[in-house]
Amino acid sequence: MIRNPVLPGFNPDPSICRVGDDVYIATSTFEWYPGVQIHHSRDLVNWTLVARPLARASQLDLRGNPDSCGVWAPCLSWSDGLFWLVYTDVKRFEGSFKDAHNYIVTAPSIEGPWSEPAYVNSSGFDPSLFHDDDGRKWFLNMLWDHRAASGHAHPGATAFDGILLQEWDPERRRLVGPVTKIYRGTSLGLVEGPHLFKREGWYYLITAEGGTGYEHAVTLARSRQLHGPYETHPNQHVLTSAGAPEAPLQRAGHGQVVTLADGSVYLAHLCTRPLPGLRRSPLGRETALQRCEWREDGWLYLAHGGQVPAVDVPAPTAAEPQRRDAVRRSFAGARALPPEFQWLRTPEPERLFALTGEALRLFGRESVGSWFEQSLVARRQEDHAFRAETTLRFSPASYQQGAGLTLYYNRHKFHALVVTWDDALGRVASLLSCPGDWPDAPLHFPLAEPVRLPADGAVQLAARVDGARLQFQADWGEGWRDVGPVLDASVVSDEGGRGEHASFTGAFIGMLAFDASGGTCPADFEHFDYLPGPTR
């Protein structure tokens, strides 16, 4: 059985692609670097991270990108002996404009080498590429109307102004011919995330609607002609959790269809798992799979019926999900970061960290939440309950220097246990917190007084998360003890702060260092352990 979500933790906007018996899913990475995650499977049950293709400055430079900008909704496809990856780099979040630049890169294998990007356009986000059976290629994206986003457009207009189609010339590496608006969406609105595929003479257009919150949905339309007109599915939406608040998988939408070699059909889509009793999703938008079927009317439906996604779904083979065990990473002797870790924005990671042979050394750079050079190396939170541990060696000389362990979403939503300096106490442990306040996002200090530490030596740090509860702990040679009060882990979520449409990545747990003096004070982390499951 397939147990959803198949990609737990922050893995949104899945684009699914089959090559022979190999199936790949590409997901958005937003401001996290390198760009785009690609997972691989042969049974749809167990998935392995195999590539993050946007790994150099010429392909992607996110320095200065606001939170929840960067790489939105990639599209992965296979044609002419190449993988084709289409992606957006969104440079603006607030205000009426988006500045969404779309690119294409290619590679002969999923591991690369990935080409230099070809710039396509900037008219809207969520681009995709359709390879028609006559050999021609067509580029799609949603159209962004900044006038409607400002409230200065004709009545009924929305910023999501329909789906555009234009031919892509792979030889000249540019768009050619007329631009056609092929679909305006349904009454739900906010049409985006287009993908085209062809079956039995029909062109099928799958889109996302309703925004990425609790009204999210997958909509399907079809036409005998590529340029339309497109008629909408008789149920309007193939998939949605709207109206089903009891469903374990919420905010379901943004999907793409894949047909396997045996003819079975699956829909990859995003979803969230809110904390019980709360409409907050620390794990972010995750990827799930639903088995589908074609019916006599020529339309696609969920095989289990209805529109609400299922947690357990029949797999194409008799595979069973592998157990998720503790992940313990030692940095002694390591030559590269473990695959689950990423950093923020910069294509120059050597300015943020280095592997010394004994530890992962973070160089204190800009403040927590900087959009340029923030020394933070972290992995996704994948479980509602987990424990994370690390061992830190750090000798601050100023209160402007700090290093430690953080549960991090963005500059407005994080908690951190840091080793720093106090003019009266010397080396201390302190808590920094930004619990979802907006727009000023003041920094909070939950400890009434910092905890005095020995003048030197290693300090073990831990974060214990159980649903909405976060307890930091430390051991400086006298045994583990709680540091500070229980903090609200639920604010480190999509919905924390301004709600489900204000930000849409996911919680990370990881190591940070900052040096507001500009001195790049180093911090050495010897290991990082992530232990899923109950923490008590």
Side-chain angles (χ1 to χ4, degrees):
M1 293 290 288
I2 294 171
R3 181 76 176 179
N4 283 314
V6 293
L7 303 183
F10 162 50
N11 279 288
D13 311 322
S15 173
I16 191 164
C17 169
R18 179 178 70 87
V19 183
D21 293 328
D22 297 295
V23 182
Y24 302 92
I25 292 179
T27 54
S28 302
T29 43
F30 290 78
E31 65 263 35
W32 291 89
Y33 211 92
V36 179
Q37 293 216 123
I38 300 178
H39 286 80
H40 167 261
S41 178
R42 288 196 161 202
D43 55 22
L44 303 192
V45 175
N46 297 294
W47 295 80
T48 303
L49 179 65
V50 292
R52 290 196 188 104
L54 307 179
R56 57 185 186 269
S58 59
Q59 296 171 321
L60 189 68
D61 189 341
L62 302 174
R63 286 173 289 192
N65 282 29
D67 294 324
S68 286
C69 288
V71 177
W72 288 14
C75 174
L76 182 67
S77 59
W78 170 264
S79 180
D80 308 321
L82 292 172
F83 285 100
W84 301 71
L85 181 66
V86 186
Y87 64 99
T88 306
D89 179 5
V90 179
K91 294 296 186 182
R92 181 170 177 172
F93 189 84
E94 296 296 322
S96 301
F97 289 97
K98 275 289 176 281
D99 298 325
H101 309 310
N102 296 317
Y103 303 90
I104 297 175
V105 293
T106 60
S109 76
I110 206 70
E111 294 84 10
W114 289 89
S115 70
E116 289 299 291
Y119 170 74
V120 184
N121 66 15
S122 302
S123 57
F125 46 84
D126 290 6
S128 70
L129 191 64
F130 169 59
H131 309 271
D132 208 344
D133 50 20
D134 62 1
R136 298 172 76 179
K137 303 183 186 300
W138 299 89
F139 190 86
L140 300 96
N141 62 270
M142 63 79 68
L143 176 63
W144 181 260
D145 186 345
H146 63 274
R147 303 167 304 170
S150 303
H152 293 285
H154 61 81
T158 72
F160 293 72
D161 195 24
I163 303 302
L164 300 185
L165 177 75
Q166 190 175 8
E167 187 170 5
W168 174 255
D169 185 330
E171 298 299 324
R172 291 187 283 177
R173 287 165 57 93
R174 66 180 182 89
L175 295 169
V176 296
V179 182
T180 306
K181 186 181 294 185
I182 62 170
Y183 192 62
R184 293 183 177 273
T186 74
S187 58
L188 183 58
L190 307 181
V191 63
E192 57 185 336
H195 294 287
L196 268 174
F197 63 97
K198 196 172 184 180
R199 177 182 183 270
E200 297 182 354
W202 288 98
Y203 290 93
Y204 288 88
L205 175 65
I206 194 165
T207 61
E209 289 193 291
T212 196
Y214 287 87
E215 299 300 313
H216 207 22
V218 172
T219 303
L220 189 63
R222 70 180 183 184
S223 174
R224 288 290 188 184
Q225 306 298 323
L226 175 65
H227 290 82
Y230 282 81
E231 60 174 319
T232 302
H233 194 286
N235 291 341
Q236 190 161 302
H237 310 304
V238 176
L239 177 87
T240 183
S241 299
E246 75 291 345
L249 305 181
Q250 289 292 315
R251 297 170 60 188
H254 201 115
Q256 189 177 17
V257 171
V258 67
T259 301
L260 304 185
D262 64 2
S264 58
V265 183
Y266 287 85
L267 171 69
H269 65 94
L270 69 79
C271 64
T272 65
R273 292 177 288 167
L275 290 169
L278 293 174
R279 285 169 71 95
R280 286 184 170 177
S281 308
L283 308 184
R285 299 175 303 153
E286 306 171 287
T287 287
L289 291 171
Q290 304 298 322
R291 186 152 186 161
C292 299
E293 62 184 16
W294 292 101
R295 296 186 184 168
E296 292 181 357
D297 61 1
W299 287 104
L300 194 68
Y301 297 83
L302 296 183
H304 64 265
Q307 297 170 300
V308 179
V311 172
D312 293 310
V313 174
T317 64
E320 290 296 328
Q322 296 176 356
R323 192 178 72 175
R324 296 183 58 252
D325 295 322
V327 180
R328 301 178 185 271
R329 301 293 193 186
S330 170
F331 298 119
R335 296 185 178 182
L337 278 181
E340 67 269 23
F341 285 92
Q342 287 185 276
W343 60 93
L344 286 165
R345 294 183 174 85
T346 179
E348 299 180 2
E350 65 276 7
R351 289 181 53 81
L352 304 185
F353 62 85
L355 289 159
T356 66
E358 297 180 353
L360 172 65
R361 175 167 293 169
L362 269 59
F363 306 108
R365 290 289 180 183
E366 295 175 339
S367 59
V368 183
S370 167
W371 288 349
F372 292 88
E373 285 192 317
Q374 179 182 177
S375 295
L376 191 160
V377 174
R379 55 154 296 153
R380 286 154 177 77
Q381 177 183 342
E382 297 178 346
D383 305 270
H384 285 151
F386 73 93
R387 180 181 176 86
E389 296 180 8
T390 189
T391 299
L392 169 66
R393 294 185 182 274
F394 181 58
S395 300
S398 162
Y399 62 80
Q400 289 187 307
Q401 299 166 340
L405 183 64
T406 182
L407 183 67
Y408 183 90
Y409 188 103
N410 61 23
R411 64 162 58 183
H412 304 293
K413 297 181 281 193
F414 69 85
H415 303 296
L417 170 59
V418 298
V419 174
T420 184
W421 182 263
D422 183 89
D423 290 338
L425 301 175
R427 196 171 72 142
V428 295
S430 183
L431 292 179
L432 308 179
S433 179
C434 196
D437 295 322
W438 196 282
D440 297 329
L443 186 64
H444 295 247
F445 297 85
L447 273 177
E449 182 174 314
V451 177
R452 185 195 296 266
L453 298 175
D456 55 26
V459 179
Q460 295 187 80
L461 307 175
R464 191 179 73 226
V465 172
D466 190 352
R469 298 169 56 87
L470 164 63
Q471 178 66 67
F472 282 113
Q473 297 179 314
D475 179 2
W476 49 90
E478 300 177 5
W480 285 106
R481 63 182 63 185
D482 293 346
V483 178
V486 171
L487 301 175
D488 185 359
S490 75
V491 300
V492 187
S493 66
D494 288 357
E495 301 93 333
R498 293 196 303 173
E500 69 222 55
H501 291 109
S503 48
F504 23 83
T505 54
F508 281 67
I509 182 74
M511 302 154 283
L512 66 82
F514 62 88
D515 189 343
S517 74
T520 65
C521 184
D524 285 358
F525 296 85
E526 297 179 357
H527 66 94
F528 193 92
D529 301 341
Y530 180 90
L531 299 87
T535 60
R536 295 177 180 175

